[in-house]
Structure formats: C-alpha cells, structure tokens
Amino acid sequence: MKSLTRVLQQKKDNGNKLFIPYIMAGANGLERLAHEIEMLAESGASAIELGVPFSDPVADGPVIQLAGIHSRERGTTLKKIIAFLKEFNSPIPLILMGYFNSFLHYGLEGLVEDLSSTDVKGVIIPDLPYEHREMFLDPAKESDIAFIQLVTLTSSDERIDQLVSEAEGFIYAVTINGTTGINRDYQDNLYQHLQKITEKSPIPVLAGFGVSKPEHVQIFNNYCDGVIIGSCIVQSLAQNGIDETQELIETLFA
C-alpha cells in the first residue's frame, strides 16, 4: 500500500473527515509557497494538492487559470517546483496536480526519480486517459507515488468499478460536469452518485470541484470521506494573504 493511501485511510479509520486543499505552486511566488503549505497543514489539511501551471488547463476554471497565469508570469516551471520541493520538508503529504504534457516534457522516469526524494506522495493527471495510465504507472510502479484516479458524474457503473479496483491514494470524485470554480450548482443525483462510489471504493473518496461553502463541506461529508477545496482558497491567497485565508478555512469547517 502506498503511504498516501495508508495516511488517509488511518485518518478515516480514526473517525476523521479528510480535507485536501489545492493551491497553485508559485502563484504568489515560490518564495511564499513554504508558508502557504505550513498554514494549510496547521489548518487541518490531510494532504495538499500543488498545481503545476500550464498554458491549456482543461479542467481548471477562471480562478485557477488566473493563478496559473500569474505563476507562469513569475517564472514558475515544473523544474523550479521540484527544486523547491527537494529542499522543503512538508509536515503532511503533497500531491502534484498537473497536465500530462508538462510531465512528459520533463521526462517521466526522471520525474518519478526526482519526486521520490521529496514529500510528494501522489500525482493527479486529469488529461491522461485511463486507457493510457500505464504511461505513468510503469515508471512509478516501484515508487511510493500514488496515481490518483478521477471519477466523474458521467462515469458508468462499469467504469467506476474499473477505476476503484486499481485506485491508489484516494478517489477524486468530481462533483460537476465542467471545470473547477466557485458558486456552482450541483445535480440532484450527485449525492447518490457519491454514496455509490464510497460504497464501492476500498480507499477514501473525496469530493472536489465547486466546494466553497460550509454547507458544501457538511453535506459532502455525509456521503463520502472528505472534500477537496481549490478555487476559494486560491482566490483568497491571492487577494487576502495567508492569515486571512487561514480564517476562511476555519469558517468552512466551523
């Protein structure tokens, strides 16, 4: 079992709900990234998703797209992010979220080798189709890096069975048909969908996309094992800074 799976499963077994925040690496400067990670860990995060800026982020809404633009304008690259991570000791597991072209350009074997000396314990690649997952799984099979699967509202029962049977780390249950963002409306059948995935999955299931209000956290925690929160944290870090973002997170879980 990969260590990310073990850490999250232990928290679940101890009766804790899980919380994974997403932030864009370098959006506010790589020199501030350590403080952002430390604040999120102090705020109760179970793990942290670090976004890699990319020019064509197909799964990201306007807030995260803008953060990616700011990060790229500041000169952030995957190489610089990994160099930072090699020198940084994170108090909780990190998960790298990026698009396949960035990782392919870096070199997949080199990526896995370099990440193995960091606190990155999981990778999310939303544009790598399930049928081509071996492109990352083969170089990563001897590593402690979990390859995290996304399950969407359009996933059939057969597809869900396939995805959860090979899942590592946690299941990322996408809650809307669209991109990340704030103030999204949810389909009436979403909660039954989340409950079905949770019943099928042997590892924790977390709901993500559009989670931005305390009522979202409360209701999703009734149907799965926790939540992933991105856009509202990314927006607050950019507009209000670290301390006020910590206060925002406290209100989300009050």
Side-chain angles (χ1 to χ4, degrees), residues 201-220:
S201 176
I203 64 174
V205 177
L206 283 86
F209 280 40
V211 183
S212 59
K213 298 178 181 178
E215 52 265 39
H216 296 157
V217 175
Q218 291 170 9
I219 196 164
F220 288 144

Side-chain angles (χ1 to χ4, degrees), residues 2-251:
K2 301 288 176 83
S3 63
L4 179 61
T5 314
R6 186 169 61 252
V7 167
L8 298 181
Q9 188 65 45
Q10 285 176 345
K11 288 181 179 290
K12 176 184 174 182
D13 292 344
N14 289 334
N16 298 311
K17 288 297 182 181
L18 306 176
F19 162 48
I20 298 182
Y22 169 98
I23 58 174
M24 175 63 73
N28 306 295
L30 279 176
E31 67 279 4
R32 209 178 86 170
L33 184 55
H35 298 302
E36 294 176 349
I37 291 172
E38 288 162 356
M39 178 275 290
L40 294 169
E42 291 173 1
S43 300
S46 310
I48 297 170
E49 263 189 66
L50 286 182
V52 178
F54 186 59
S55 58
D56 188 20
V58 294
D60 297 332
V63 171
I64 294 178
Q65 285 189 28
L66 184 60
I69 291 171
H70 288 164
S71 182
R72 293 176 67 225
E73 288 175 344
R74 293 175 184 273
T76 307
T77 63
L78 178 56
K79 186 176 181 180
K80 289 182 179 179
I81 293 170
I82 291 175
F84 161 80
L85 293 172
K86 284 185 173 182
E87 301 296 325
F88 177 70
N89 293 320
S90 175
I92 57 175
L94 302 176
I95 300 157
L96 208 60
M97 187 281 191
Y99 293 90
F100 190 60
N101 206 34
S102 301
F103 299 149
L104 187 65
H105 179 71
Y106 190 94
L108 297 176
E109 291 186 1
L111 175 72
V112 171
E113 181 179 353
D114 287 346
L115 292 181
S116 295
S117 62
T118 73
D119 292 308
V120 172
K121 300 301 178 186
V123 168
I124 299 173
I125 312 175
D127 61 341
L128 180 62
Y130 173 79
E131 285 72 17
H132 298 290
R133 65 197 183 285
E134 300 300 335
M135 294 179 73
F136 182 79
L137 285 176
D138 282 348
K141 62 184 176 185
E142 301 297 330
S143 76
D144 190 35
I145 301 171
F147 182 60
I148 294 155
Q149 303 280 0
L150 279 73
V151 177
T152 71
L153 284 164
T154 60
S155 299
S156 65
D157 286 352
E158 182 181 8
R159 187 70 156 186
I160 294 172
D161 289 340
Q162 285 179 326
L163 293 170
V164 302
S165 67
E166 301 177 20
E168 301 172 334
F170 65 94
I171 293 290
Y172 194 133
V174 180
T175 57
I176 57 176
N177 290 324
T179 59
T180 61
I182 299 172
N183 298 325
R184 299 303 177 91
D185 294 326
Y186 296 113
Q187 294 182 11
D188 292 338
N189 64 348
L190 171 61
Y191 307 116
Q192 290 75 18
H193 177 74
L194 292 176
Q195 189 166 24
K196 178 169 62 179
I197 299 170
T198 302
E199 289 171 354
K200 288 175 176 284
S201 176
I203 64 174
V205 177
L206 283 86
F209 280 40
V211 183
S212 59
K213 298 178 181 178
E215 52 265 39
H216 296 157
V217 175
Q218 291 170 9
I219 196 164
F220 288 144
N221 278 341
N222 290 330
Y223 294 96
C224 57
D225 302 307
V227 294
I228 302 160
I229 303 178
S231 293
C232 71
I233 291 176
V234 170
Q235 187 174 63
S236 180
L237 283 171
Q239 296 179 352
N240 306 317
I242 293 176
D243 291 342
E244 288 194 34
T245 301
Q246 188 165 24
E247 294 174 5
L248 168 70
I249 293 171
E250 290 174 359
T251 64

